[in-house]
PDB file of all heavy atoms in Angstrom:
ATOM      1  N   PRO N  43      -2.487 -66.754 180.315  1.00 92.00           N
ATOM      2  CA  PRO N  43      -1.122 -67.261 180.552  1.00 92.00           C
ATOM      3  C   PRO N  43      -1.107 -68.383 181.572  1.00 92.00           C
ATOM      4  O   PRO N  43      -1.713 -68.284 182.640  1.00 92.00           O
ATOM      5  CB  PRO N  43      -0.384 -66.034 181.078  1.00 92.00           C
ATOM      6  CG  PRO N  43      -1.124 -64.876 180.515  1.00 92.00           C
ATOM      7  CD  PRO N  43      -2.566 -65.303 180.486  1.00 92.00           C
ATOM      8  N   GLY N  44      -0.460 -69.486 181.228  1.00 94.00           N
ATOM      9  CA  GLY N  44      -0.337 -70.600 182.150  1.00 94.00           C
ATOM     10  C   GLY N  44      -1.552 -71.490 182.253  1.00 94.00           C
ATOM     11  O   GLY N  44      -1.567 -72.430 183.058  1.00 94.00           O
ATOM     12  N   LYS N  45      -2.579 -71.195 181.441  1.00 95.00           N
ATOM     13  CA  LYS N  45      -3.806 -71.990 181.503  1.00 95.00           C
ATOM     14  C   LYS N  45      -4.098 -72.604 180.139  1.00 95.00           C
ATOM     15  O   LYS N  45      -3.585 -72.159 179.119  1.00 95.00           O
ATOM     16  CB  LYS N  45      -4.982 -71.121 181.944  1.00 95.00           C
ATOM     17  CG  LYS N  45      -4.844 -70.566 183.362  1.00 95.00           C
ATOM     18  CD  LYS N  45      -6.077 -69.786 183.745  1.00 95.00           C
ATOM     19  CE  LYS N  45      -5.972 -69.238 185.169  1.00 95.00           C
ATOM     20  NZ  LYS N  45      -7.204 -68.473 185.557  1.00 95.00           N
ATOM     21  N   GLU N  46      -4.960 -73.596 180.138  1.00 95.00           N
ATOM     22  CA  GLU N  46      -5.396 -74.207 178.890  1.00 95.00           C
ATOM     23  C   GLU N  46      -6.506 -73.371 178.262  1.00 95.00           C
ATOM     24  O   GLU N  46      -7.181 -72.601 178.934  1.00 95.00           O
ATOM     25  CB  GLU N  46      -5.890 -75.631 179.145  1.00 95.00           C
ATOM     26  CG  GLU N  46      -4.818 -76.585 179.628  1.00 95.00           C
ATOM     27  CD  GLU N  46      -5.325 -78.005 179.744  1.00 95.00           C
ATOM     28  OE1 GLU N  46      -6.535 -78.228 179.562  1.00 95.00           O
ATOM     29  OE2 GLU N  46      -4.500 -78.895 180.032  1.00 95.00           O
ATOM     30  N   ARG N  47      -6.660 -73.551 176.958  1.00 96.00           N
ATOM     31  CA  ARG N  47      -7.739 -72.840 176.274  1.00 96.00           C
ATOM     32  C   ARG N  47      -9.083 -73.287 176.845  1.00 96.00           C
ATOM     33  O   ARG N  47      -9.329 -74.487 177.006  1.00 96.00           O
ATOM     34  CB  ARG N  47      -7.681 -73.101 174.780  1.00 96.00           C
ATOM     35  CG  ARG N  47      -8.622 -72.234 173.959  1.00 96.00           C
ATOM     36  CD  ARG N  47      -8.342 -72.341 172.485  1.00 96.00           C
ATOM     37  NE  ARG N  47      -6.988 -71.897 172.143  1.00 96.00           N
ATOM     38  CZ  ARG N  47      -6.657 -71.331 171.003  1.00 96.00           C
ATOM     39  NH1 ARG N  47      -7.581 -71.121 170.094  1.00 96.00           N
ATOM     40  NH2 ARG N  47      -5.417 -71.003 170.768  1.00 96.00           N
ATOM     41  N   GLU N  48      -9.927 -72.328 177.117  1.00 97.00           N
ATOM     42  CA  GLU N  48     -11.193 -72.579 177.804  1.00 97.00           C
ATOM     43  C   GLU N  48     -12.367 -72.198 176.917  1.00 97.00           C
ATOM     44  O   GLU N  48     -12.368 -71.133 176.298  1.00 97.00           O
ATOM     45  CB  GLU N  48     -11.244 -71.767 179.101  1.00 97.00           C
ATOM     46  CG  GLU N  48     -12.526 -71.890 179.890  1.00 97.00           C
ATOM     47  CD  GLU N  48     -12.570 -70.940 181.079  1.00 97.00           C
ATOM     48  OE1 GLU N  48     -11.639 -70.127 181.237  1.00 97.00           O
ATOM     49  OE2 GLU N  48     -13.537 -71.020 181.853  1.00 97.00           O
ATOM     50  N   GLY N  49     -13.369 -73.064 176.883  1.00 98.00           N
ATOM     51  CA  GLY N  49     -14.597 -72.736 176.181  1.00 98.00           C
ATOM     52  C   GLY N  49     -15.421 -71.764 177.003  1.00 98.00           C
ATOM     53  O   GLY N  49     -15.790 -72.073 178.142  1.00 98.00           O
ATOM     54  N   VAL N  50     -15.689 -70.599 176.460  1.00 98.00           N
ATOM     55  CA  VAL N  50     -16.437 -69.562 177.176  1.00 98.00           C
ATOM     56  C   VAL N  50     -17.924 -69.693 176.888  1.00 98.00           C
ATOM     57  O   VAL N  50     -18.745 -69.775 177.798  1.00 98.00           O
ATOM     58  CB  VAL N  50     -15.930 -68.170 176.781  1.00 98.00           C
ATOM     59  CG1 VAL N  50     -16.766 -67.084 177.430  1.00 98.00           C
ATOM     60  CG2 VAL N  50     -14.457 -68.012 177.150  1.00 98.00           C
ATOM     61  N   SER N  51     -18.264 -69.701 175.599  1.00 98.00           N
ATOM     62  CA  SER N  51     -19.662 -69.780 175.220  1.00 98.00           C
ATOM     63  C   SER N  51     -19.765 -70.174 173.760  1.00 98.00           C
ATOM     64  O   SER N  51     -18.851 -69.919 172.980  1.00 98.00           O
ATOM     65  CB  SER N  51     -20.357 -68.437 175.454  1.00 98.00           C
ATOM     66  OG  SER N  51     -21.735 -68.524 175.157  1.00 98.00           O
ATOM     67  N   CYS N  52     -20.892 -70.784 173.390  1.00 97.00           N
ATOM     68  CA  CYS N  52     -21.085 -71.174 171.998  1.00 97.00           C
ATOM     69  C   CYS N  52     -22.565 -71.344 171.710  1.00 97.00           C
ATOM     70  O   CYS N  52     -23.397 -71.464 172.625  1.00 97.00           O
ATOM     71  CB  CYS N  52     -20.334 -72.464 171.679  1.00 97.00           C
ATOM     72  SG  CYS N  52     -20.876 -73.890 172.625  1.00 97.00           S
ATOM     73  N   ILE N  53     -22.878 -71.316 170.431  1.00 93.00           N
ATOM     74  CA  ILE N  53     -24.203 -71.664 169.927  1.00 93.00           C
ATOM     75  C   ILE N  53     -23.985 -72.806 168.950  1.00 93.00           C
ATOM     76  O   ILE N  53     -23.212 -72.672 168.007  1.00 93.00           O
ATOM     77  CB  ILE N  53     -24.896 -70.486 169.244  1.00 93.00           C
ATOM     78  CG1 ILE N  53     -25.080 -69.328 170.230  1.00 93.00           C
ATOM     79  CG2 ILE N  53     -26.249 -70.913 168.680  1.00 93.00           C
ATOM     80  CD1 ILE N  53     -25.685 -68.077 169.611  1.00 93.00           C
ATOM     81  N   SER N  54     -24.660 -73.929 169.164  1.00 90.00           N
ATOM     82  CA  SER N  54     -24.351 -75.127 168.397  1.00 90.00           C
ATOM     83  C   SER N  54     -24.952 -75.080 166.997  1.00 90.00           C
ATOM     84  O   SER N  54     -25.813 -74.258 166.690  1.00 90.00           O
ATOM     85  CB  SER N  54     -24.848 -76.369 169.136  1.00 90.00           C
ATOM     86  OG  SER N  54     -26.264 -76.382 169.176  1.00 90.00           O
ATOM     87  N   SER N  55     -24.495 -75.988 166.149  1.00 85.00           N
ATOM     88  CA  SER N  55     -24.996 -76.087 164.785  1.00 85.00           C
ATOM     89  C   SER N  55     -26.484 -76.420 164.773  1.00 85.00           C
ATOM     90  O   SER N  55     -26.970 -77.185 165.573  1.00 85.00           O
ATOM     91  CB  SER N  55     -24.226 -77.193 164.037  1.00 85.00           C
ATOM     92  OG  SER N  55     -22.888 -76.840 163.875  1.00 85.00           O
ATOM     93  N   SER N  56     -27.184 -75.823 163.845  1.00 73.00           N
ATOM     94  CA  SER N  56     -28.577 -76.158 163.513  1.00 73.00           C
ATOM     95  C   SER N  56     -29.584 -75.852 164.597  1.00 73.00           C
ATOM     96  O   SER N  56     -30.728 -76.265 164.465  1.00 73.00           O
ATOM     97  CB  SER N  56     -28.691 -77.650 163.122  1.00 73.00           C
ATOM     98  OG  SER N  56     -27.897 -77.902 161.994  1.00 73.00           O
ATOM     99  N   ASP N  57     -29.214 -75.169 165.646  1.00 77.00           N
ATOM    100  CA  ASP N  57     -30.216 -74.681 166.585  1.00 77.00           C
ATOM    101  C   ASP N  57     -29.661 -73.438 167.276  1.00 77.00           C
ATOM    102  O   ASP N  57     -28.549 -73.025 167.022  1.00 77.00           O
ATOM    103  CB  ASP N  57     -30.638 -75.754 167.604  1.00 77.00           C
ATOM    104  CG  ASP N  57     -29.508 -76.180 168.529  1.00 77.00           C
ATOM    105  OD1 ASP N  57     -28.738 -75.315 169.003  1.00 77.00           O
ATOM    106  OD2 ASP N  57     -29.384 -77.379 168.773  1.00 77.00           O
ATOM    107  N   ASP N  58     -30.427 -72.849 168.092  1.00 80.00           N
ATOM    108  CA  ASP N  58     -30.042 -71.604 168.737  1.00 80.00           C
ATOM    109  C   ASP N  58     -29.697 -71.785 170.207  1.00 80.00           C
ATOM    110  O   ASP N  58     -29.688 -70.832 170.962  1.00 80.00           O
ATOM    111  CB  ASP N  58     -31.178 -70.590 168.614  1.00 80.00           C
ATOM    112  CG  ASP N  58     -31.386 -70.142 167.178  1.00 80.00           C
ATOM    113  OD1 ASP N  58     -30.390 -70.096 166.425  1.00 80.00           O
ATOM    114  OD2 ASP N  58     -32.531 -69.844 166.813  1.00 80.00           O
ATOM    115  N   THR N  59     -29.396 -73.008 170.591  1.00 88.00           N
ATOM    116  CA  THR N  59     -29.113 -73.255 172.002  1.00 88.00           C
ATOM    117  C   THR N  59     -27.746 -72.691 172.378  1.00 88.00           C
ATOM    118  O   THR N  59     -26.741 -73.067 171.785  1.00 88.00           O
ATOM    119  CB  THR N  59     -29.120 -74.763 172.291  1.00 88.00           C
ATOM    120  OG1 THR N  59     -30.370 -75.303 171.892  1.00 88.00           O
ATOM    121  CG2 THR N  59     -28.864 -75.026 173.762  1.00 88.00           C
ATOM    122  N   PRO N  60     -27.697 -71.777 173.359  1.00 94.00           N
ATOM    123  CA  PRO N  60     -26.403 -71.292 173.831  1.00 94.00           C
ATOM    124  C   PRO N  60     -25.849 -72.178 174.955  1.00 94.00           C
ATOM    125  O   PRO N  60     -26.599 -72.742 175.735  1.00 94.00           O
ATOM    126  CB  PRO N  60     -26.719 -69.900 174.359  1.00 94.00           C
ATOM    127  CG  PRO N  60     -28.128 -70.016 174.849  1.00 94.00           C
ATOM    128  CD  PRO N  60     -28.801 -71.053 173.976  1.00 94.00           C
ATOM    129  N   TYR N  61     -24.556 -72.286 174.989  1.00 96.00           N
ATOM    130  CA  TYR N  61     -23.886 -73.014 176.067  1.00 96.00           C
ATOM    131  C   TYR N  61     -22.837 -72.095 176.677  1.00 96.00           C
ATOM    132  O   TYR N  61     -22.229 -71.286 175.975  1.00 96.00           O
ATOM    133  CB  TYR N  61     -23.221 -74.286 175.525  1.00 96.00           C
ATOM    134  CG  TYR N  61     -24.199 -75.288 174.979  1.00 96.00           C
ATOM    135  CD1 TYR N  61     -24.579 -75.250 173.646  1.00 96.00           C
ATOM    136  CD2 TYR N  61     -24.739 -76.277 175.791  1.00 96.00           C
ATOM    137  CE1 TYR N  61     -25.485 -76.166 173.126  1.00 96.00           C
ATOM    138  CE2 TYR N  61     -25.646 -77.206 175.284  1.00 96.00           C
ATOM    139  CZ  TYR N  61     -26.010 -77.136 173.946  1.00 96.00           C
ATOM    140  OH  TYR N  61     -26.907 -78.047 173.455  1.00 96.00           O
ATOM    141  N   TYR N  62     -22.616 -72.257 177.977  1.00 97.00           N
ATOM    142  CA  TYR N  62     -21.666 -71.409 178.679  1.00 97.00           C
ATOM    143  C   TYR N  62     -20.755 -72.239 179.569  1.00 97.00           C
ATOM    144  O   TYR N  62     -21.176 -73.228 180.182  1.00 97.00           O
ATOM    145  CB  TYR N  62     -22.411 -70.389 179.553  1.00 97.00           C
ATOM    146  CG  TYR N  62     -23.244 -69.415 178.762  1.00 97.00           C
ATOM    147  CD1 TYR N  62     -24.598 -69.646 178.536  1.00 97.00           C
ATOM    148  CD2 TYR N  62     -22.662 -68.265 178.225  1.00 97.00           C
ATOM    149  CE1 TYR N  62     -25.359 -68.762 177.801  1.00 97.00           C
ATOM    150  CE2 TYR N  62     -23.418 -67.370 177.482  1.00 97.00           C
ATOM    151  CZ  TYR N  62     -24.760 -67.626 177.267  1.00 97.00           C
ATOM    152  OH  TYR N  62     -25.507 -66.744 176.529  1.00 97.00           O
ATOM    153  N   GLY N  63     -19.518 -71.799 179.657  1.00 97.00           N
ATOM    154  CA  GLY N  63     -18.626 -72.389 180.628  1.00 97.00           C
ATOM    155  C   GLY N  63     -19.069 -72.025 182.036  1.00 97.00           C
ATOM    156  O   GLY N  63     -19.671 -70.970 182.254  1.00 97.00           O
ATOM    157  N   ASP N  64     -18.766 -72.884 182.995  1.00 97.00           N
ATOM    158  CA  ASP N  64     -19.239 -72.667 184.357  1.00 97.00           C
ATOM    159  C   ASP N  64     -18.761 -71.336 184.937  1.00 97.00           C
ATOM    160  O   ASP N  64     -19.476 -70.695 185.711  1.00 97.00           O
ATOM    161  CB  ASP N  64     -18.773 -73.816 185.267  1.00 97.00           C
ATOM    162  CG  ASP N  64     -19.495 -75.117 184.974  1.00 97.00           C
ATOM    163  OD1 ASP N  64     -20.573 -75.077 184.361  1.00 97.00           O
ATOM    164  OD2 ASP N  64     -18.960 -76.180 185.356  1.00 97.00           O
ATOM    165  N   SER N  65     -17.577 -70.910 184.554  1.00 97.00           N
ATOM    166  CA  SER N  65     -17.007 -69.702 185.154  1.00 97.00           C
ATOM    167  C   SER N  65     -17.656 -68.416 184.661  1.00 97.00           C
ATOM    168  O   SER N  65     -17.450 -67.353 185.267  1.00 97.00           O
ATOM    169  CB  SER N  65     -15.504 -69.651 184.886  1.00 97.00           C
ATOM    170  OG  SER N  65     -15.252 -69.586 183.500  1.00 97.00           O
ATOM    171  N   VAL N  66     -18.443 -68.491 183.600  1.00 98.00           N
ATOM    172  CA  VAL N  66     -19.030 -67.268 183.056  1.00 98.00           C
ATOM    173  C   VAL N  66     -20.557 -67.274 183.075  1.00 98.00           C
ATOM    174  O   VAL N  66     -21.185 -66.289 182.707  1.00 98.00           O
ATOM    175  CB  VAL N  66     -18.548 -67.007 181.615  1.00 98.00           C
ATOM    176  CG1 VAL N  66     -17.016 -66.991 181.561  1.00 98.00           C
ATOM    177  CG2 VAL N  66     -19.129 -68.016 180.643  1.00 98.00           C
ATOM    178  N   LYS N  67     -21.148 -68.374 183.508  1.00 97.00           N
ATOM    179  CA  LYS N  67     -22.612 -68.455 183.527  1.00 97.00           C
ATOM    180  C   LYS N  67     -23.202 -67.332 184.374  1.00 97.00           C
ATOM    181  O   LYS N  67     -22.738 -67.048 185.469  1.00 97.00           O
ATOM    182  CB  LYS N  67     -23.046 -69.810 184.089  1.00 97.00           C
ATOM    183  CG  LYS N  67     -22.910 -70.953 183.114  1.00 97.00           C
ATOM    184  CD  LYS N  67     -23.363 -72.271 183.741  1.00 97.00           C
ATOM    185  CE  LYS N  67     -23.189 -73.424 182.765  1.00 97.00           C
ATOM    186  NZ  LYS N  67     -23.540 -74.729 183.375  1.00 97.00           N
ATOM    187  N   GLY N  68     -24.219 -66.700 183.832  1.00 97.00           N
ATOM    188  CA  GLY N  68     -24.876 -65.619 184.537  1.00 97.00           C
ATOM    189  C   GLY N  68     -24.229 -64.263 184.348  1.00 97.00           C
ATOM    190  O   GLY N  68     -24.794 -63.242 184.759  1.00 97.00           O
ATOM    191  N   ARG N  69     -23.042 -64.237 183.744  1.00 98.00           N
ATOM    192  CA  ARG N  69     -22.335 -62.965 183.531  1.00 98.00           C
ATOM    193  C   ARG N  69     -22.140 -62.654 182.050  1.00 98.00           C
ATOM    194  O   ARG N  69     -22.142 -61.489 181.658  1.00 98.00           O
ATOM    195  CB  ARG N  69     -20.964 -62.999 184.204  1.00 98.00           C
ATOM    196  CG  ARG N  69     -21.007 -63.220 185.701  1.00 98.00           C
ATOM    197  CD  ARG N  69     -19.613 -63.051 186.325  1.00 98.00           C
ATOM    198  NE  ARG N  69     -18.659 -64.024 185.812  1.00 98.00           N
ATOM    199  CZ  ARG N  69     -17.509 -63.699 185.222  1.00 98.00           C
ATOM    200  NH1 ARG N  69     -17.183 -62.432 185.053  1.00 98.00           N
ATOM    201  NH2 ARG N  69     -16.684 -64.644 184.803  1.00 98.00           N
ATOM    202  N   PHE N  70     -21.942 -63.675 181.236  1.00 98.00           N
ATOM    203  CA  PHE N  70     -21.691 -63.483 179.811  1.00 98.00           C
ATOM    204  C   PHE N  70     -22.906 -63.935 179.012  1.00 98.00           C
ATOM    205  O   PHE N  70     -23.623 -64.870 179.395  1.00 98.00           O
ATOM    206  CB  PHE N  70     -20.483 -64.308 179.370  1.00 98.00           C
ATOM    207  CG  PHE N  70     -19.152 -63.842 179.894  1.00 98.00           C
ATOM    208  CD1 PHE N  70     -19.049 -62.890 180.902  1.00 98.00           C
ATOM    209  CD2 PHE N  70     -17.983 -64.365 179.383  1.00 98.00           C
ATOM    210  CE1 PHE N  70     -17.823 -62.466 181.382  1.00 98.00           C
ATOM    211  CE2 PHE N  70     -16.741 -63.960 179.839  1.00 98.00           C
ATOM    212  CZ  PHE N  70     -16.667 -63.017 180.843  1.00 98.00           C
ATOM    213  N   THR N  71     -23.100 -63.273 177.866  1.00 98.00           N
ATOM    214  CA  THR N  71     -24.190 -63.649 176.965  1.00 98.00           C
ATOM    215  C   THR N  71     -23.677 -63.674 175.532  1.00 98.00           C
ATOM    216  O   THR N  71     -23.096 -62.696 175.065  1.00 98.00           O
ATOM    217  CB  THR N  71     -25.358 -62.662 177.067  1.00 98.00           C
ATOM    218  OG1 THR N  71     -25.819 -62.589 178.425  1.00 98.00           O
ATOM    219  CG2 THR N  71     -26.506 -63.098 176.168  1.00 98.00           C
ATOM    220  N   ILE N  72     -23.921 -64.779 174.844  1.00 97.00           N
ATOM    221  CA  ILE N  72     -23.545 -64.909 173.438  1.00 97.00           C
ATOM    222  C   ILE N  72     -24.768 -64.611 172.575  1.00 97.00           C
ATOM    223  O   ILE N  72     -25.904 -64.946 172.937  1.00 97.00           O
ATOM    224  CB  ILE N  72     -22.983 -66.314 173.132  1.00 97.00           C
ATOM    225  CG1 ILE N  72     -22.375 -66.364 171.734  1.00 97.00           C
ATOM    226  CG2 ILE N  72     -24.047 -67.392 173.324  1.00 97.00           C
ATOM    227  CD1 ILE N  72     -21.625 -67.658 171.439  1.00 97.00           C
ATOM    228  N   SER N  73     -24.530 -63.985 171.446  1.00 94.00           N
ATOM    229  CA  SER N  73     -25.615 -63.711 170.512  1.00 94.00           C
ATOM    230  C   SER N  73     -25.026 -63.582 169.115  1.00 94.00           C
ATOM    231  O   SER N  73     -23.801 -63.533 168.939  1.00 94.00           O
ATOM    232  CB  SER N  73     -26.368 -62.444 170.902  1.00 94.00           C
ATOM    233  OG  SER N  73     -25.506 -61.320 170.849  1.00 94.00           O
ATOM    234  N   SER N  74     -25.921 -63.518 168.146  1.00 91.00           N
ATOM    235  CA  SER N  74     -25.479 -63.305 166.766  1.00 91.00           C
ATOM    236  C   SER N  74     -26.597 -62.667 165.974  1.00 91.00           C
ATOM    237  O   SER N  74     -27.753 -62.646 166.422  1.00 91.00           O
ATOM    238  CB  SER N  74     -25.065 -64.631 166.123  1.00 91.00           C
ATOM    239  OG  SER N  74     -26.204 -65.421 165.840  1.00 91.00           O
ATOM    240  N   ASN N  75     -26.259 -62.161 164.808  1.00 88.00           N
ATOM    241  CA  ASN N  75     -27.306 -61.728 163.908  1.00 88.00           C
ATOM    242  C   ASN N  75     -27.952 -62.970 163.286  1.00 88.00           C
ATOM    243  O   ASN N  75     -27.452 -64.080 163.446  1.00 88.00           O
ATOM    244  CB  ASN N  75     -26.758 -60.754 162.862  1.00 88.00           C
ATOM    245  CG  ASN N  75     -25.721 -61.402 161.950  1.00 88.00           C
ATOM    246  OD1 ASN N  75     -25.291 -62.524 162.179  1.00 88.00           O
ATOM    247  ND2 ASN N  75     -25.314 -60.683 160.923  1.00 88.00           N
ATOM    248  N   SER N  76     -29.040 -62.786 162.595  1.00 83.00           N
ATOM    249  CA  SER N  76     -29.804 -63.941 162.107  1.00 83.00           C
ATOM    250  C   SER N  76     -29.013 -64.783 161.113  1.00 83.00           C
ATOM    251  O   SER N  76     -29.201 -65.981 161.012  1.00 83.00           O
ATOM    252  CB  SER N  76     -31.120 -63.480 161.480  1.00 83.00           C
ATOM    253  OG  SER N  76     -30.863 -62.585 160.408  1.00 83.00           O
ATOM    254  N   ALA N  77     -28.103 -64.186 160.395  1.00 81.00           N
ATOM    255  CA  ALA N  77     -27.320 -64.915 159.398  1.00 81.00           C
ATOM    256  C   ALA N  77     -26.060 -65.546 159.980  1.00 81.00           C
ATOM    257  O   ALA N  77     -25.323 -66.220 159.260  1.00 81.00           O
ATOM    258  CB  ALA N  77     -26.934 -63.977 158.259  1.00 81.00           C
ATOM    259  N   ARG N  78     -25.818 -65.325 161.269  1.00 83.00           N
ATOM    260  CA  ARG N  78     -24.599 -65.803 161.928  1.00 83.00           C
ATOM    261  C   ARG N  78     -23.342 -65.326 161.223  1.00 83.00           C
ATOM    262  O   ARG N  78     -22.316 -65.999 161.228  1.00 83.00           O
ATOM    263  CB  ARG N  78     -24.570 -67.332 162.081  1.00 83.00           C
ATOM    264  CG  ARG N  78     -25.597 -67.849 163.056  1.00 83.00           C
ATOM    265  CD  ARG N  78     -25.297 -69.253 163.520  1.00 83.00           C
ATOM    266  NE  ARG N  78     -26.375 -69.752 164.362  1.00 83.00           N
ATOM    267  CZ  ARG N  78     -26.400 -70.944 164.926  1.00 83.00           C
ATOM    268  NH1 ARG N  78     -25.404 -71.769 164.739  1.00 83.00           N
ATOM    269  NH2 ARG N  78     -27.425 -71.305 165.664  1.00 83.00           N
ATOM    270  N   THR N  79     -23.415 -64.136 160.657  1.00 88.00           N
ATOM    271  CA  THR N  79     -22.207 -63.553 160.073  1.00 88.00           C
ATOM    272  C   THR N  79     -21.499 -62.624 161.045  1.00 88.00           C
ATOM    273  O   THR N  79     -20.369 -62.204 160.793  1.00 88.00           O
ATOM    274  CB  THR N  79     -22.547 -62.793 158.783  1.00 88.00           C
ATOM    275  OG1 THR N  79     -23.591 -61.858 159.053  1.00 88.00           O
ATOM    276  CG2 THR N  79     -23.010 -63.774 157.704  1.00 88.00           C
ATOM    277  N   THR N  80     -22.169 -62.268 162.103  1.00 93.00           N
ATOM    278  CA  THR N  80     -21.554 -61.514 163.175  1.00 93.00           C
ATOM    279  C   THR N  80     -22.018 -62.088 164.498  1.00 93.00           C
ATOM    280  O   THR N  80     -23.210 -62.307 164.684  1.00 93.00           O
ATOM    281  CB  THR N  80     -21.924 -60.022 163.125  1.00 93.00           C
ATOM    282  OG1 THR N  80     -21.597 -59.486 161.845  1.00 93.00           O
ATOM    283  CG2 THR N  80     -21.155 -59.251 164.196  1.00 93.00           C
TER     284      THR N  80
END
Side-chain angles (χ1 to χ4, degrees):
K45 296 183 179 181
E46 295 185 354
R47 189 169 299 211
E48 178 186 5
V50 176
S51 183
C52 62
I53 300 176
S54 67
S55 294
S56 299
D57 65 42
D58 292 328
T59 304
Y61 296 90
Y62 296 95
D64 289 341
S65 62
V66 305
K67 283 180 181 176
R69 300 188 298 123
F70 291 12
T71 303
I72 190 172
S73 62
S74 73
N75 64 352
S76 59
R78 292 198 185 180
T79 53
T80 305

